[in-house]
């Protein structure tokens, strides 16, 4: 059950909330839930920004064009799928939803594009670089951190050492990203790591045993060295 109420008092660790127009069944449920654990969500008053809305609907158009659906179809399908996986499922509108819901949905939408190999023209790299989950998706699907080009190569931000066979090196904990040929050769190597990161505002992510295994970066047993 989900209801909206007003906080009437707060004392140390006790909060009193007034809820209007409860039905008998709802009153019964609440009475029997006294003492049980509950979750509260607070609305900080910030709503979806113009930039978030523009990016969300631009992606709807691009997904629809790629899949051959209408924008309305794509919006309905993705919105329902997103709501189903929410911890606290609730219907919302892109006209006035919270800034956090908009952020989460945009991340969900970008992930959908990456996982389904749907190219996007909308400039989203600033959104992606702010999210570990999205940078993880770029690495796992070998997409360039700078330009979004596919079939990029994994590149270590950390120095492994000249002459060492990377497949024999325990790479767990090393930082890496995926870069296309252009940004790997003419970008990172010419500019240097620090300048490269500042220039393109990109951040590598730390490799885990799971990532190394899925990407087949090392021989079996290397991560245990």
């Amino acid at each position: 059950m989900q209801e909206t109420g007003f906080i009437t008092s707060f004392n140390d660790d006790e909060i009193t909330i007034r809820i209007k127009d409860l039905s008998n069944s709802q009153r019964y449920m609440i009475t029997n839930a006294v003492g049980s654990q509950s979750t509260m969500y607070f609305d900080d008053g910030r709503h979806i920004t113009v930039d978030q809305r523009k990016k969300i609907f631009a992606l709807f158009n691009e997904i629809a064009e790629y899949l051959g659906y209408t924008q309305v179809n794509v919006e309905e399908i993705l919105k329902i799928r997103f709501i189903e996986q929410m911890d606290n499922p609730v219907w919302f509108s892109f006209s006035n939803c919270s800034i956090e819901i908009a952020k989460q949905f945009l991340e969900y939408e970008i992930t959908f594009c990456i996982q389904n190999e749907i190219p996007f023209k909308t400039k989203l790299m600033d959104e992606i670089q702010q999210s570990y989950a999205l940078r993880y998706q770029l690495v796992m699907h070998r997409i360039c951190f700078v330009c979004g080009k596919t079939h990029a190569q994994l590149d270590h931000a950390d120095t492994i050492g000249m002459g060492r066979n990377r497949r024999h090196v325990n790479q767990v904990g090393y930082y890496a990203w995926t870069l296309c040929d252009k940004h790997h050769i003419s970008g990172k190597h010419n500019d240097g790591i620090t300048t490269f990161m500042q220039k393109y505002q990109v951040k590598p992510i730390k490799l885990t045993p799971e990532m190394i295994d899925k990407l087949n970066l090392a021989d079996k047993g290397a991560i245990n060295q």
Side-chain angles (χ1 to χ4, degrees):
M1 183 182 78
Q2 178 174 311
E3 290 295 331
T4 300
F6 298 89
I7 298 175
T8 59
S9 66
F10 173 63
N11 182 23
D12 193 16
D13 59 353
E14 292 187 359
I15 300 174
T16 302
I17 299 176
R18 175 171 294 171
I19 304 175
K20 295 182 178 181
D21 303 322
L22 287 175
S23 66
N24 289 333
S25 61
Q26 290 173 319
R27 292 178 184 277
Y28 177 80
M29 290 175 62
I30 293 174
T31 299
N32 285 275
V34 171
S36 63
Q37 182 174 346
S38 300
T39 301
M40 295 184 66
Y41 293 87
F42 294 92
D43 184 353
D44 63 5
R46 297 186 302 160
H47 295 101
I48 183 171
T49 66
V50 173
D51 184 59
Q52 286 177 320
R53 189 181 295 109
K54 286 174 61 177
K55 289 177 178 177
I56 287 171
F57 279 90
L59 276 183
F60 282 151
N61 281 325
E62 293 175 22
I63 294 170
E65 182 179 348
Y66 186 83
L67 297 179
Y69 295 155
T70 66
Q71 178 188 316
V72 174
N73 289 151
V74 171
E75 179 180 349
E76 289 178 348
I77 293 170
L78 291 188
K79 192 172 181 180
I80 290 172
R81 288 184 178 181
F82 173 77
I83 290 173
E84 288 176 342
Q85 54 90 51
M86 293 173 69
D87 293 333
N88 185 42
V90 60
W91 191 257
F92 62 90
S93 170
F94 290 118
S95 64
N96 60 359
C97 66
S98 71
I99 194 171
E100 182 59 29
I101 287 291
K103 177 178 179 296
Q104 292 175 11
F105 184 85
L106 185 54
E107 183 170 310
Y108 177 83
E109 198 176 18
I110 296 171
T111 300
F112 178 83
C113 289
I114 294 174
Q115 292 181 342
N116 290 279
E117 299 182 350
I118 300 175
F120 45 82
K121 305 171 187 175
T122 306
K123 294 182 179 180
L124 298 166
M125 283 307 176
D126 55 337
E127 300 285 343
I128 292 174
Q129 293 305 317
Q130 295 173 27
S131 167
Y132 171 85
L134 292 178
R135 284 183 287 139
Y136 172 87
Q137 292 293 336
L138 291 188
V139 169
M140 301 309 292
H141 290 84
R142 296 187 181 276
I143 297 174
C144 181
F145 268 49
V146 178
C147 65
K149 187 176 181 179
T150 56
H151 305 297
Q153 296 298 314
L154 186 127
D155 178 69
H156 292 83
D158 298 303
T159 301
I160 288 184
M162 293 292 292
R164 299 183 68 186
N165 188 331
R166 296 186 176 185
R167 298 198 59 82
H168 299 162
V169 176
N170 181 355
Q171 301 175 42
V172 176
Y174 277 74
Y175 284 87
W177 40 33
T178 36
L179 301 173
C180 65
D181 289 341
K182 172 185 175 182
H183 291 106
H184 178 237
I185 298 173
S186 63
K188 197 200 78 171
H189 283 290
N190 289 348
D191 294 336
I193 291 290
T194 302
T195 302
F196 179 79
M197 291 175 64
Q198 293 174 344
K199 179 179 179 180
Y200 294 107
Q201 293 297 297
V202 292
K203 297 179 289 186
I205 65 171
K206 187 182 293 186
L207 294 175
T208 65
E210 175 194 28
M211 294 172 70
I212 292 170
D213 181 56
K214 286 185 176 181
L215 293 169
N216 190 28
L217 300 179
D219 293 335
K220 295 295 183 182
I223 63 174
N224 297 319
Q225 294 180 6

